[in-house]
Amino acid sequence: MSLSTLHEHLAARLGPKGWSTDPEVLAPMLAEWRGRWHGTTPFLAMPATTAEAQAVVQLCAAAGAAITPQGGNTGLVGGQIPDGEILVSLKRMNRIRSIDPIDDALTAEAGAVLAAVQDAAAGADRLFPLSLGSQGSATIGGLISTNAGGVHVVRYGMMRDLVLGLEVVLPSGEIWNGLKALRKDNTGYDLKQMFIGAEGTLGLVTAATLKLFPRPSEHVVAMAGFMDAERWLDLLHLIKSRTGALAAFEVMNRLSVDLAVAHIEGVRDPFMLAPSWVALIECESAGGGHGLESAVEEALAEALEAGIIVDAAVARSEAQAAAYWRLRESIPAAHKRTGRPQMSFDIATPVSAAPRFVAIADAATAALLPGARSVAFGHAGDGNIHYTVMAPAETSPEAFAAALPAIVAAVQGEAMNLNGSISAEHGVGVARRDELPAYKSPIALAMMKTVKAALDPQRIMNPRAMLQP
Amino acid sequence: MSLSTLHEHLAARLGPKGWSTDPEVLAPMLAEWRGRWHGTTPFLAMPATTAEAQAVVQLCAAAGAAITPQGGNTGLVGGQIPDGEILVSLKRMNRIRSIDPIDDALTAEAGAVLAAVQDAAAGADRLFPLSLGSQGSATIGGLISTNAGGVHVVRYGMMRDLVLGLEVVLPSGEIWNGLKALRKDNTGYDLKQMFIGAEGTLGLVTAATLKLFPRPSEHVVAMAGFMDAERWLDLLHLIKSRTGALAAFEVMNRLSVDLAVAHIEGVRDPFMLAPSWVALIECESAGGGHGLESAVEEALAEALEAGIIVDAAVARSEAQAAAYWRLRESIPAAHKRTGRPQMSFDIATPVSAAPRFVAIADAATAALLPGARSVAFGHAGDGNIHYTVMAPAETSPEAFAAALPAIVAAVQGEAMNLNGSISAEHGVGVARRDELPAYKSPIALAMMKTVKAALDPQRIMNPRAMLQP
């Protein structure tokens, strides 16, 4: 089938609303939101149903034409930006198909936006706990394909842990209906696991059955300041063991806080003492009236007395809790607004090694680029610190670029020395594809390639993402 | 390589403690513990290290000799019993390699017994929550390979949810070292998922890094009686939402309780009213002093007032809590001691459909075999009711055997009509392998076969389990 014939067939099958080649329609889908990747596509397909998505894959498979799937286009590693492939946007498949509160299950189509799923769950007096900055535009299909994380992983796990079942159009064009609300099913390999975090390389996720949880009735947000990164491990353990209700444990180094206060309107530092580190703690419980607030207060008092922290504050209102969260959530925008040359990493280490990682990476970076400092913040409860190297004020973009390869090798190398990962939650995409062989065992890479070749022998599903051809 | 040469090479590599062909040594490993399967093997390999396990697989792969892996030999579907294959027992690989309380992680070898892992975690003031009847002999490798469940799934998930990393000898004889304590790692496909629940068909699991949790400081066990199976859904929701701390929610029908009381010494019915159903509720919290006991009491009082339950009792001592659990745990032995012809199923349905499943299955069974009754008990919080059809007293084993195919088809068919599963937690093994095609979609089965063929092209890993050749 020639490509023009393929496009005709696709257009005929999808109807006028279901496709486009109009540059104006395509433009926002071809640019990564931070402007780091710009792509091209000969054809945008926008299926509205699973049957239409199936037809797209069948026609592309018959023509040997590759596909790049896209959800909300919020990905950070370029996996959603086509480079000549057919672009398949799942955005029209955005229905919540069902909510079953007794089963604590919700079935949504791939294009449903995370915030809409959270709202639908709340409307049924349930919680869908995945929570991250882009929740107003990120879609369920993309969140599944990148195994998204966010701020509640310490309690509820990553997207992988929140999926009960999947519906997938396979590279062969067959539909695998693995949607189910079962909590237990040991009838063979757990096939859904292959597609979660596969970045669209093994099939097109079209719908998912997700786990819901009781809505928390008690909710406590607090902040604590401390002077030494290692202390957050003590604080984390104390809060976990004293409350049994930890839902988020985020940390921010001094520079993170200072930049947020300086660059984002209305953000305030909660502490007079300017502690080297600030932790944001969220605890929640579905059982009301058990005194969670006092439990958090007592744990913080204990931490103060033990010298783990130097100051603490518990939010007394929803507004105050929101203000605490706003400090944390302003950091990514704040460090970009400095305009300074900078490089962000997506490091994870074991929880216990994360403070050491920051110290070692800071030292290594300063040795390579004197005066460089780090914005270090994020998910300390999971060992996932967002680490950004900021150039000193006097460093030109060119000088920074020259120093960068050594900095990247040092920072990522230190993470690996600590048995960590160079991609904690953002994935591989095209951004980290070519460096993966340096960080992953050849045996693991070979297994990935074996699985890819077995399930997508034509290599039509997102062929440039994750694995080198 | 001839088989006798293979055996010589294996014996030379493993040393005198590492192998046997002595029928007395082999006998207990060749019989399934209930006597349902009896196997044969020309050679028992007992590697003591990962390197020895690798050598076994390499030598078998070179000789084209198939392997059946075995852990504690507690499996219920015959997957661990060889039929002419080389039997590889992991029992000598039973070390706890490390415990990292700050990372809430423990690394154990495949042959470590579950109870030993629980004890090691407790020794570090942590909880490893997997809990099931055979925990004194079941091993970590077997529990991973069968994705074991048990009584705490409602809170902590199945074995799959408790694994952070794996070490596996691949069918090629390579070692994949995927041991890690990371909570987040999105550098490619999550390869460990393929081996969890794969029943040894894709590789030999030799070690695992497992998740630990804070040890509960409050612990409440209660019982409630009710007259109608549907009410357990109301009770489940009430306990979940009022306490936020549900750790186990088990139910038992009248016959289950009566048989346990009749056949197991020291077991007592907690209620005078002889309710149709009894629920066993366990709540736990890591945060002490939050009044969990009062929260459970209040929820039960609310359930009584709302007419959901007819009676309730909260254990006032560890001894009483143990007595409540003993009633629940005596049921499997009790219904076997009746000596009556019987057939046990491993059904799951969505949580909401489980009471309906019992009612429909009871009706269908009674229509096929008048007077038949069911022992129905188990994990209602997960929709996983252990359902056993008991023949009426006057039915001969022959008459029961004659009625059985229709009963199996009806019971499993009803489960499937309710979007359930015929293997909730015991797996496929050889017991359910040949019926799997009737219950699983051809597309799912084909994908399983594709994965098996890609990762074990020689088909040497547990070749009779799960998938028909």
Side-chain angles (χ1 to χ4, degrees):
Chain A
M1 199 186 315
S2 75
L3 286 183
S4 63
T5 313
L6 171 63
H7 299 169
E8 279 168 31
H9 280 69
L10 286 170
R13 180 67 181 80
L14 293 168
K17 285 188 190 163
W19 66 279
S20 181
T21 54
D22 179 345
E24 277 190 42
V25 174
L26 268 55
M29 299 188 185
L30 294 175
E32 191 251 12
W33 61 282
R34 298 166 306 178
R36 296 204 191 158
W37 285 274
H38 294 275
T40 62
T41 186
F43 192 93
L44 165 66
M46 295 180 283
T49 64
T50 305
E52 288 183 5
Q54 175 180 38
V56 170
V57 177
Q58 282 174 335
L59 286 164
C60 288
I67 288 168
T68 298
Q70 189 181 92
N73 193 12
T74 61
L76 293 161
V77 289
Q80 76 279 23
I81 304 296
D83 185 22
E85 295 87 7
I86 304 281
L87 180 60
V88 180
S89 167
L90 279 302
K91 279 200 148 179
R92 290 175 73 215
M93 293 189 64
N94 62 359
R95 284 189 312 138
I96 308 281
R97 289 192 189 162
S98 64
I99 308 181
D100 305 291
I102 300 177
D103 294 323
D104 283 330
L106 177 155
T107 298
E109 291 181 344
V113 168
L114 174 52
V117 169
Q118 292 168 337
D119 291 348
D125 195 29
R126 293 293 183 274
L127 172 75
F128 183 65
L130 195 79
S131 176
L132 35 75
S134 61
Q135 62 199 24
S137 41
T139 61
I140 292 303
L143 294 161
I144 287 170
S145 295
T146 57
N147 186 30
V151 297
H152 288 146
V153 172
V154 69
R155 184 182 184 105
Y156 298 100
M158 298 187 68
M159 192 64 177
R160 182 180 302 282
D161 302 301
L162 304 174
V163 175
L164 290 168
L166 288 183
E167 177 188 87
V168 180
V169 180
L170 304 177
S172 62
E174 293 170 302
I175 297 170
W176 172 54
N177 183 351
L179 293 176
K180 56 184 180 186
L182 292 179
R183 299 283 160 165
K184 286 181 167 177
D185 182 13
N186 273 345
T187 56
Y189 306 150
D190 191 1
L191 298 170
K192 69 175 178 287
Q193 302 292 347
M194 296 198 297
F195 303 100
I196 301 171
E199 302 183 2
T201 61
L202 299 178
L204 196 62
V205 172
T206 50
T209 303
L210 304 171
K211 282 186 199 170
L212 303 180
F213 294 81
R215 271 183 93 179
S217 54
E218 278 191 300
H219 190 257
V220 181
V221 175
M223 288 219 156
F226 49 102
M227 302 309 289
D228 172 1
E230 292 284 344
R231 293 289 78 71
W232 87 54
L233 299 177
D234 303 324
L235 183 62
L236 174 65
H237 174 65
L238 198 66
I239 299 285
K240 266 187 177 178
S241 60
R242 295 296 185 272
T243 70
L246 183 67
F249 189 91
E250 304 279 311
V251 297
M252 303 158 246
N253 72 354
R254 188 72 243 153
L255 184 56
S256 304
V257 174
D258 289 344
L259 291 178
V261 170
H263 291 279
I264 310 291
E265 203 178 305
V267 170
R268 294 182 48 200
D269 185 346
F271 300 118
M272 301 289 290
L273 289 167
S276 311
W277 288 87
V278 171
L280 189 159
I281 297 152
E282 187 171 71
C283 290
E284 61 185 35
S285 164
H290 305 159
L292 187 59
E293 188 166 306
S294 354
V296 173
E297 279 168 4
E298 284 162 28
L300 289 173
E302 191 179 338
L304 260 173
E305 202 157 313
I308 295 168
I309 60 175
V310 295
D311 205 350
V314 177
R316 298 300 176 192
S317 65
E318 281 302 309
Q320 208 169 5
Y324 289 0
W325 269 110
R326 192 164 147 72
L327 168 59
R328 159 64 185 84
E329 286 171 350
S330 297
I331 298 171
H335 66 72
K336 281 175 197 82
R337 288 205 195 157
T338 61
R340 296 245 197 112
Q342 53 191 274
M343 175 71 189
S344 293
F345 295 88
D346 183 20
I347 297 295
T349 65
V351 170
S352 63
R356 213 171 339 142
F357 163 73
V358 175
I360 294 173
D362 280 357
T365 305
L368 291 165
L369 184 65
R373 294 174 67 194
S374 71
V375 173
F377 69 100
H379 318 307
D382 320 312
N384 175 204
I385 302 299
H386 297 310
Y387 187 83
T388 296
V389 175
M390 305 287 291
E394 64 280 9
T395 306
S396 69
E398 294 71 25
F400 188 70
L404 206 49
I407 292 175
V408 170
V411 170
Q412 297 193 155
E414 297 301 353
M416 296 307 288
N417 286 343
L418 295 166
N419 300 312
S421 167
I422 62 159
S423 179
E425 56 175 15
H426 300 157
V428 179
V430 296
R432 301 192 193 282
R433 185 193 69 173
D434 294 338
E435 56 181 335
L436 207 58
Y439 294 102
K440 196 110 181 156
S441 86
I443 290 171
L445 269 177
M447 242 193 298
M448 287 169 60
K449 286 181 179 171
T450 299
V451 170
K452 169 73 174 171
L455 293 176
D456 181 18
Q458 263 194 296
R459 205 178 169 91
I460 62 165
M461 290 305 309
N462 218 7
R464 289 172 306 98
M466 191 180 284
L467 288 167
Q468 290 170 323
Chain B
M1 201 187 312
S2 76
L3 286 184
S4 63
T5 313
L6 170 63
H7 299 169
E8 278 167 31
H9 280 68
L10 287 170
R13 181 69 180 81
L14 293 168
K17 283 189 190 164
W19 65 279
S20 181
T21 53
D22 178 345
E24 277 189 42
V25 174
L26 267 56
M29 300 188 184
L30 295 175
E32 192 251 12
W33 60 283
R34 296 166 306 177
R36 296 206 191 158
W37 285 275
H38 294 275
T40 61
T41 186
F43 192 93
L44 165 66
M46 296 180 284
T49 64
T50 305
E52 288 183 5
Q54 176 180 37
V56 170
V57 176
Q58 282 174 335
L59 286 164
C60 288
I67 289 168
T68 298
Q70 188 179 93
N73 193 11
T74 61
L76 293 160
V77 289
Q80 76 278 25
I81 305 295
D83 186 22
E85 294 87 5
I86 304 281
L87 179 60
V88 179
S89 167
L90 279 301
K91 280 201 149 179
R92 290 176 73 216
M93 291 189 65
N94 61 359
R95 284 189 312 139
I96 309 282
R97 290 192 190 163
S98 64
I99 308 181
D100 306 291
I102 300 178
D103 294 322
D104 283 331
L106 177 155
T107 298
E109 291 181 342
V113 168
L114 174 53
V117 169
Q118 293 169 337
D119 290 348
D125 195 28
R126 293 293 182 276
L127 172 75
F128 183 67
L130 195 79
S131 176
L132 34 74
S134 61
Q135 61 198 26
S137 41
T139 61
I140 292 302
L143 294 160
I144 287 170
S145 294
T146 56
N147 186 28
V151 296
H152 289 146
V153 173
V154 69
R155 184 182 185 104
Y156 297 99
M158 300 187 65
M159 192 64 178
R160 181 180 303 280
D161 302 300
L162 304 175
V163 175
L164 289 168
L166 288 183
E167 177 188 88
V168 180
V169 180
L170 303 177
S172 63
E174 292 169 304
I175 296 170
W176 173 54
N177 183 350
L179 294 176
K180 55 184 179 186
L182 291 179
R183 298 284 160 163
K184 286 180 166 177
D185 182 13
N186 273 346
T187 55
Y189 307 150
D190 190 1
L191 298 170
K192 69 175 179 285
Q193 302 292 345
M194 297 197 297
F195 302 100
I196 301 170
E199 302 183 0
T201 61
L202 299 178
L204 195 62
V205 173
T206 50
T209 303
L210 305 171
K211 282 186 200 170
L212 304 179
F213 294 82
R215 271 183 91 178
S217 53
E218 279 191 300
H219 190 257
V220 182
V221 175
M223 288 219 156
F226 48 102
M227 303 308 290
D228 172 1
E230 292 283 344
R231 294 289 76 72
W232 89 52
L233 300 178
D234 304 323
L235 183 62
L236 174 65
H237 175 64
L238 198 66
I239 299 286
K240 266 188 177 178
S241 60
R242 294 297 185 271
T243 71
L246 184 67
F249 189 92
E250 304 278 311
V251 298
M252 305 157 245
N253 72 354
R254 187 72 244 152
L255 184 55
S256 304
V257 175
D258 288 345
L259 291 179
V261 170
H263 291 278
I264 310 291
E265 203 177 306
V267 169
R268 293 184 48 200
D269 185 346
F271 299 119
M272 300 290 290
L273 289 166
S276 311
W277 288 86
V278 171
L280 186 159
I281 297 152
E282 187 171 71
C283 290
E284 61 184 34
S285 164
H290 304 161
L292 187 57
E293 187 166 308
S294 354
V296 173
E297 279 169 4
E298 283 161 29
L300 290 172
E302 190 179 338
L304 260 173
E305 202 158 312
I308 294 169
I309 59 175
V310 295
D311 205 349
V314 177
R316 298 301 175 191
S317 64
E318 281 302 310
Q320 209 170 4
Y324 289 179
W325 268 111
R326 192 164 146 75
L327 168 59
R328 159 65 185 84
E329 285 170 350
S330 297
I331 298 171
H335 67 72
K336 281 176 196 82
R337 288 207 195 154
T338 61
R340 295 243 198 115
Q342 53 191 276
M343 175 70 188
S344 292
F345 295 89
D346 183 20
I347 296 295
T349 66
V351 170
S352 63
R356 212 169 343 138
F357 163 73
V358 174
I360 294 172
D362 280 356
T365 305
L368 290 164
L369 184 65
R373 294 173 69 195
S374 71
V375 173
F377 70 100
H379 319 307
D382 320 311
N384 175 203
I385 302 299
H386 298 310
Y387 187 83
T388 296
V389 175
M390 305 287 292
E394 65 278 13
T395 305
S396 69
E398 295 71 25
F400 188 69
L404 207 47
I407 291 175
V408 170
V411 170
Q412 297 195 154
E414 297 301 354
M416 295 307 288
N417 287 342
L418 295 166
N419 300 311
S421 167
I422 62 159
S423 178
E425 56 175 17
H426 299 157
V428 178
V430 296
R432 301 192 192 284
R433 186 193 69 173
D434 294 338
E435 58 181 333
L436 206 57
Y439 294 102
K440 196 107 181 156
S441 87
I443 291 171
L445 269 177
M447 242 192 299
M448 287 169 59
K449 286 180 179 172
T450 299
V451 170
K452 168 73 174 171
L455 292 177
D456 181 18
Q458 261 194 297
R459 205 178 170 91
I460 62 165
M461 291 305 309
N462 217 4
R464 290 173 304 99
M466 192 181 285
L467 287 166
Q468 290 170 324

